[in-house]
Amino acid sequence: MDVNEFLSQPLVARVANNGPEVRPVWFIWEEGAFWWLTGSYSRMEQILVEDPRAALVVDTCELATSEVFAVTCQGTAQIVSLDRARAVRKLTRYLGPEHLWPVRFSAPLDDPATKMVRFTPDRPLRLRDRSW
């Protein structure tokens, strides 16, 4: 499996930033960056505005096979305007078709305060096999 195939799965990324805080996020990997939603409901936007450096890990652990795979990186986050089409692609990965989403996921897409984080890794990504 290559890194792009791994990151196309509906996995959870954990983002660490200067706070220090670690947050789980649903993401989409496109155009060499991780993208996720943020808004007034989250402190992450303000933290990343103050210090855009962050670290991120996406990993899996299959107990039945003892397989552990991980992508880890450091990079810079940028708060950008909401790209509704990208947000829909991201949420569809996790929730299925848009008409089935709970309102708490669809409503923010119509809120002008909702933005996106574009997190760009400093180096090319590698998928690492961390299995024993």
Side-chain angles (χ1 to χ4, degrees):
M1 174 182 323
D2 76 359
V3 69
N4 291 311
E5 183 181 356
F6 179 76
L7 294 175
S8 71
Q9 299 176 82
L11 302 170
V12 174
R14 287 175 298 284
V15 179
N17 52 30
N18 189 10
E21 293 199 25
V22 176
R23 301 272 178 110
V25 296
W26 287 352
F27 69 91
I28 191 165
W29 169 252
E30 292 183 346
E31 299 177 11
F34 292 89
W35 303 80
W36 64 86
L37 296 171
T38 192
S40 57
Y41 55 85
S42 171
R43 285 183 10 134
M44 185 180 285
E45 180 178 347
Q46 185 58 41
I47 291 169
L48 291 173
V49 165
E50 292 172 8
D51 184 353
R53 300 281 308 149
L56 180 143
V57 62
V58 180
D59 58 3
T60 61
C61 178
E62 298 295 333
L63 296 177
T65 62
S66 299
E67 290 180 326
V68 178
F69 292 97
V71 171
T72 59
C73 59
Q74 295 180 354
T76 305
Q78 178 183 19
I79 307 300
V80 298
S81 298
L82 175 68
D83 176 336
R84 192 177 200 292
R86 188 185 313 269
V88 168
R89 286 193 302 278
K90 179 197 78 113
L91 290 170
T92 299
R93 283 171 32 125
Y94 295 94
L95 300 169
E98 188 174 359
H99 69 277
L100 298 176
W101 299 354
V103 173
R104 70 187 186 106
F105 292 103
S106 58
L109 299 184
D110 297 320
D111 182 345
T114 301
K115 297 179 181 144
M116 295 192 88
V117 176
R118 181 180 194 267
F119 176 77
T120 306
D122 290 342
R123 296 187 177 127
L125 299 182
R126 289 184 40 202
L127 176 61
R128 297 181 189 268
D129 184 346
R130 303 285 189 193
S131 306
W132 295 92

